[in-house]
Amino acid sequence: RETFVQYKITSDLHLNHANMIKWYPKYRNFGDKIEDMNRGIIKHWNDNVKPEDTVYHLGDFAFATEDFIVKILDNLNGKKVFIIGNHDRKVKKVLKEYGSVYTRLNLRFDINKKQTQIVLDHFPLLEWDGLYHGALHFYGHCHGTLTNKGRSIDVGYDKQGKILDLKKAIELAYLNNQEIFKVETLDFIRQYEG
């Protein structure tokens, strides 16, 4: 059985995108150069993701050529599951070589012995499958500029300042909905495109 420590989630790393340093300096304070930002984010990833972990990245991975992205992916720990963002379309082919690629993904986890759906999308959704039946929604794209609705949360790097454990993301989604919730057990059931 797998446990929550093996699942991570993030979005919008925008590796090699120079403007991110000036637009979102709060968590990109690795230096003034794009190379410093790239090294800092890659180091953060590998310090927090073990080779056996699964990372869900919800779009806008990098602004770069396919060759550059291959060099980055060769140096990142973990099994990668990519949701395509609006800036990933040109590099979708290379992302497929390094992980699973989806437009939207539904996850099923047994959380505290109760089956729960988590809807992953690059974009925030006003309504999502299972919203009124306890489903959670994780997204990126907004870089922390949007107010979350219900049990949803922006998991983007510029909102959270780090790659999140899935357990923490779940607890934050409940807290966003004014609910205190502690994840005691988290077991993967399945994932399917949705």
Side-chain angles (χ1 to χ4, degrees), residues 112-126:
N112 297 351
K113 307 300 180 205
K114 180 181 178 202
Q115 193 173 128
T116 304
Q117 179 177 340
I118 304 172
V119 177
L120 307 180
D121 198 296
H122 177 62
F123 300 101
L125 304 172
L126 291 175

Side-chain angles (χ1 to χ4, degrees), residues 72-170:
I72 292 172
L73 291 170
D74 279 341
N75 289 294
L76 293 179
N77 290 337
K79 175 185 171 198
K80 297 145 197 84
V81 180
F82 295 103
I83 304 296
I84 295 299
N86 52 302
H87 297 293
D88 292 326
R89 290 181 181 93
K90 291 180 182 175
V91 296
K92 186 176 179 179
K93 185 180 114 195
V94 72
L95 293 178
K96 281 184 177 181
E97 294 172 18
Y98 283 84
S100 305
V101 176
Y102 301 93
T103 302
R104 179 175 298 143
L105 188 63
N106 290 296
L107 306 175
R108 290 269 179 191
F109 277 88
D110 187 343
I111 303 173
N112 297 351
K113 307 300 180 205
K114 180 181 178 202
Q115 193 173 128
T116 304
Q117 179 177 340
I118 304 172
V119 177
L120 307 180
D121 198 296
H122 177 62
F123 300 101
L125 304 172
L126 291 175
E127 300 276 330
W128 57 90
D129 185 29
L131 166 66
Y132 301 106
H133 301 285
L136 310 176
H137 170 45
F138 299 151
Y139 63 90
H141 184 69
C142 298
H143 301 271
T145 63
L146 187 70
T147 301
N148 299 314
K149 173 188 176 182
R151 290 181 183 154
S152 69
I153 187 170
D154 180 347
V155 297
Y157 186 82
D158 297 307
K159 169 66 175 177
Q160 303 299 330
K162 60 185 173 183
I163 296 170
L164 290 173
D165 284 326
L166 189 59
K167 173 187 173 185
K168 181 67 175 173
I170 291 165

